[in-house]
Amino acid sequence: MIELLPVDDAEPAFEHSPLLKGALLTLEFIETNGPIGLTPSNALKRYFVEWAAEAFAWPNYTAEELYHLNKVLNEGDFMPLFMLHDLLNSLKLVRRKKGAVHITKLGKQLRSHPGALWAVLAERIFGGFNVTPYARYDVPFVGNWDVFLGVINVETHSGCTDDHLYKTLFGTRRANQEMRHVNLRSAFYVHCLRSLVWLGLLHESTVGEGLNRQRIFTKLPLWFAALRLETDTFIIERQVH
């Protein structure tokens, strides 16, 4: 069972959560500048996407990186914003009305309490928020958060690769199941590891290049401040021995 601990609004570890930063900046933008305009397809208008790309400075999705791939920026080009928009709407922190995104009463309340805002974002993701629309490929979720977090809690305590995590959770690949493992590995990264990085619970770094490139994951201070897991006892026992 995943237990989120209450975290003080002034907790420095929140600085590592691009999802919280993006949510706070979006809610602040609406309160300061008014509702954000929507296109006929209910996407955020380009003026806000361009502003958000600069203001969020989202790791691996900075304005410089986005403009390197796109001459102009639409919401679909800025994948984290695309996800954040739907996440805020599903949590009723914003609402779409008359061609624009408005902040709600709940959104105004949580904007002043980052700890509580982060908690509702985390609970929504751990509660089964579907991130498939925000992936390059159709990668349905396989597994459950209780198992994933329990294993990751132990294995990343001193840092480990995504390859190690994948093999620990799903086993080694077989020659006749190559494509299945490729898809499953992509799903595990998109649904689980990337979500934990965006929440500010894990740090992701890379080593090597090309086919030798590997992702390394380590726990961030927010992990220890916000999570209490059943496998915490295994870490204590490992440290004692």
Side-chain angles (χ1 to χ4, degrees):
M1 181 69 180
I2 302 169
E3 180 182 356
L4 291 180
L5 303 175
V7 183
D8 187 81
D9 290 336
E11 170 59 56
F14 283 136
E15 295 179 5
H16 299 289
S17 174
L19 194 62
L20 176 62
K21 178 183 178 181
L24 287 169
L25 286 172
T26 300
L27 296 176
E28 179 184 359
F29 182 97
I30 299 173
E31 285 219 273
T32 303
N33 301 284
I36 301 167
L38 293 170
T39 68
S41 62
N42 276 337
L44 297 167
K45 285 196 171 180
R46 191 176 294 163
Y47 73 88
F48 179 77
V49 179
E50 293 171 345
W51 176 87
E54 295 284 353
F56 290 6
W58 200 293
N60 299 318
Y61 292 88
T62 62
E64 181 181 0
E65 290 166 307
L66 291 171
Y67 280 117
H68 181 71
L69 299 173
N70 308 277
K71 291 183 178 180
V72 297
L73 294 183
N74 296 304
E75 183 181 346
D77 301 319
F78 189 4
M79 198 62 66
L81 178 61
F82 184 22
M83 173 178 162
L84 179 62
H85 178 190
D86 286 344
L87 193 57
L88 294 176
N89 190 64
S90 72
L91 288 166
K92 302 188 187 307
L93 303 182
V94 301
R95 70 174 180 273
R96 300 172 184 137
K97 181 181 178 182
K98 296 182 179 179
V101 175
H102 301 252
I103 190 171
T104 64
K105 181 178 179 180
L106 178 60
K108 291 179 180 180
Q109 292 173 346
L110 291 183
R111 185 199 152 202
S112 301
H113 299 284
L117 175 56
W118 182 87
V120 300
L121 292 170
E123 288 170 353
R124 183 70 184 90
I125 288 176
F126 294 151
F129 183 72
N130 180 21
V131 302
T132 298
Y134 324 109
R136 291 187 177 90
Y137 308 102
D138 186 7
V139 283
F141 188 77
V142 178
N144 69 77
W145 278 110
D146 290 296
V147 173
F148 288 164
L149 288 177
V151 170
I152 292 169
N153 186 37
V154 176
E155 300 301 328
T156 63
H157 197 65
S158 299
C160 71
T161 65
D162 57 337
D163 186 57
H164 174 78
L165 288 171
Y166 179 81
K167 289 178 180 177
T168 301
L169 284 160
F170 301 104
T172 56
R173 63 188 179 190
R174 300 173 184 173
N176 63 343
Q177 295 182 322
E178 180 71 24
M179 186 53 63
R180 175 182 177 274
H181 276 275
V182 169
N183 293 337
L184 187 57
R185 184 166 179 159
S186 296
F188 176 57
Y189 175 76
V190 168
H191 288 272
C192 182
L193 296 177
R194 189 180 72 176
S195 294
L196 293 174
V197 170
W198 287 4
L199 280 169
L201 292 167
L202 287 181
H203 176 260
E204 176 185 344
S205 59
T206 58
V207 295
E209 297 181 357
L211 296 176
N212 295 320
R213 182 174 177 269
Q214 287 188 312
R215 297 186 178 102
I216 308 293
F217 293 89
T218 52
K219 289 185 284 189
L220 287 168
L222 189 55
W223 184 289
F224 303 98
L227 293 178
R228 178 175 293 160
L229 301 166
E230 293 181 0
T231 55
D232 287 341
T233 56
F234 293 106
I235 296 171
I236 295 173
E237 290 173 359
R238 180 181 290 185
Q239 291 174 334
V240 170
H241 295 297

